[in-house]
């Protein structure tokens, strides 16, 4: 009988920012049945990676990482400084992963943030779109090579159209990582975003299967699983069909309504 994928929870469900003071929460996560915690890549001064890794292991957990992009570190940007900063940031993410023992760094690594950068989408000419993709591919190749050297993998997450205008679907994420062509770069899927963008969630999972490194299981409204309208039986069957053995993160937001 196959073992089930490890199940974990994102640190944002407990606290944001997640700091040294919150490390005792790892024991609470483990007591709730979690196998790991997904933490945001800490900004300077928030959290010591080595200490976080030790605290997680002592609680019986492992860690995965979620990267944070912004307009100042944006692989898709026309601004050369922002592009370079994005490559440097992804290298830093890999170093943090090494420090805390994480093997996956996921998120919208390509940049192009909209709502989180207070930037509205705008029409883009085809030549400019192609150039933007080329910049992202080049940046991910560089960062992916470093990640592979360090035994870490970068997982590209498509977001919904309200959060980015660059990579919204599993198909687009697959096309992107195939262009990158690096063993250090794969795909991450999040059912919250998929619920808005995919015609068929199970089929999208199966399509991404050869490149799927990480998976976030989230309801359509970010509440607890089973309280929304997603078909979890079909999603679970698709993951099984894909022989997915990676980690599955629960990312419920703290709802008070």
């Amino acid at each position: 009988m196959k073992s089930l994928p490890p199940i974990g929870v994102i640190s944002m469900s407990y606290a944001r920012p997640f700091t040294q003071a919150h490390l005792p929460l790892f024991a609470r996560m483990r007591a709730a049945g979690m196998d790991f915690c997904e933490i945001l890549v800490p900004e300077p001064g928030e959290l010591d990676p080595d200490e976080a890794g030790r605290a997680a292991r002592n609680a019986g957990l492992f860690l995965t990482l979620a990267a944070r992009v912004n307009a100042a570190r944006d692989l898709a940007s026309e601004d050369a400084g922002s592009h370079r900063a994005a490559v440097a940031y992804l290298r830093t993410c890999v170093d943090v992963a090494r420090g805390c023992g994480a093997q996956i760094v996921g998120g919208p690594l390509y940049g192009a943030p909209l709502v989180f950068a207070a930037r509205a989408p705008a029409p883009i000419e085809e030549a400019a779109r192609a150039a933007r993709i080329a910049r992202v591919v080049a940046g991910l190749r560089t960062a992916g090579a470093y990640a592979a050297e360090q035994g870490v993998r970068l997982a590209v997450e498509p977001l919904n159209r309200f959060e980015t205008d660059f990579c919204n679907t599993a198909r687009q994420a697959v096309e992107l990582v195939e262009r990158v062509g690096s063993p250090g770069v794969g795909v991450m899927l999040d059912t919250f975003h998929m619920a808005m963008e995919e015609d068929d969630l199970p089929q999208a999972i199966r399509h991404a299967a050869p490149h799927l490194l990480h998976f976030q299981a989230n309801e359509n409204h970010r509440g607890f699983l089973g309280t929304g309208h997603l078909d979890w039986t079909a999603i679970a069957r698709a993951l099984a069909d894909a022989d997915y053995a990676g980690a599955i993160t629960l990312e419920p937001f703290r709802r008070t309504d």
Side-chain angles (χ1 to χ4, degrees):
M1 182 178 177
K2 290 183 179 179
S3 60
L4 295 174
I7 303 294
V9 65
I10 198 161
S11 61
M12 288 191 300
S13 295
Y14 292 82
R16 183 173 185 179
F18 194 84
T19 67
Q20 305 289 119
H22 298 109
L23 294 180
L25 289 171
F26 285 149
R28 180 175 167 186
M29 297 174 197
R30 183 60 183 159
M34 299 296 107
D35 299 307
F36 71 93
C37 177
E38 182 172 328
I39 63 173
L40 302 183
V41 174
E43 297 295 327
E46 278 185 359
L47 191 65
D48 178 77
D50 294 333
E51 186 174 348
R54 283 194 301 271
R57 291 189 293 273
N58 289 340
L61 303 175
F62 66 89
L63 296 178
T64 64
L65 295 179
R68 294 186 266 189
V69 300
N70 56 44
R73 50 192 189 210
D74 179 1
L75 281 184
S77 177
E78 291 181 297
D79 180 76
S82 178
H83 179 84
R84 286 193 300 269
V87 175
Y89 174 68
L90 292 181
R91 289 177 63 96
T92 296
C93 290
V94 171
D95 293 338
V96 171
R98 289 275 293 171
C100 70
Q103 295 182 334
I104 296 289
V105 179
L109 309 180
Y110 41 82
L114 294 179
V115 63
F116 295 120
R119 185 171 66 193
I124 183 169
E125 297 294 331
E126 180 59 25
R129 186 184 74 87
R132 185 164 65 158
I133 293 171
R135 288 192 294 271
V136 171
V137 169
L140 286 176
R141 279 181 183 158
T142 301
Y146 182 68
E149 289 172 1
Q150 301 300 317
V152 175
R153 291 184 293 178
L154 305 176
V156 174
E157 178 186 13
L159 302 185
N160 71 75
R161 69 193 70 188
F162 305 108
E163 298 183 32
T164 185
D165 61 349
F166 185 84
C167 180
N168 305 119
T169 66
R171 178 184 58 80
Q172 291 171 336
V174 167
E175 290 176 355
L176 182 63
V177 301
E178 287 182 346
R179 285 189 58 171
V180 173
S182 168
V185 181
V187 172
M188 167 181 170
L189 295 179
D190 180 334
T191 52
F192 168 74
H193 300 289
M194 296 176 76
M196 282 183 266
E197 299 296 344
E198 303 291 351
D199 297 327
D200 184 327
L201 271 69
Q203 185 55 36
I205 292 168
R206 293 184 180 97
H207 178 70
H211 305 283
L212 189 57
L213 301 180
H214 194 60
F215 194 80
Q216 290 183 329
N218 295 310
E219 269 295 356
N220 60 286
H221 57 19
R222 288 287 197 191
F224 291 103
L225 267 63
T227 62
H229 61 58
L230 294 189
D231 185 346
W232 291 107
T233 300
I235 291 168
R237 285 175 176 159
L239 289 170
D241 290 346
D243 289 325
Y244 179 71
I248 298 177
T249 302
L250 309 179
E251 196 181 14
F253 283 9
R254 286 163 289 166
R255 297 172 61 94
T256 58
D257 58 350

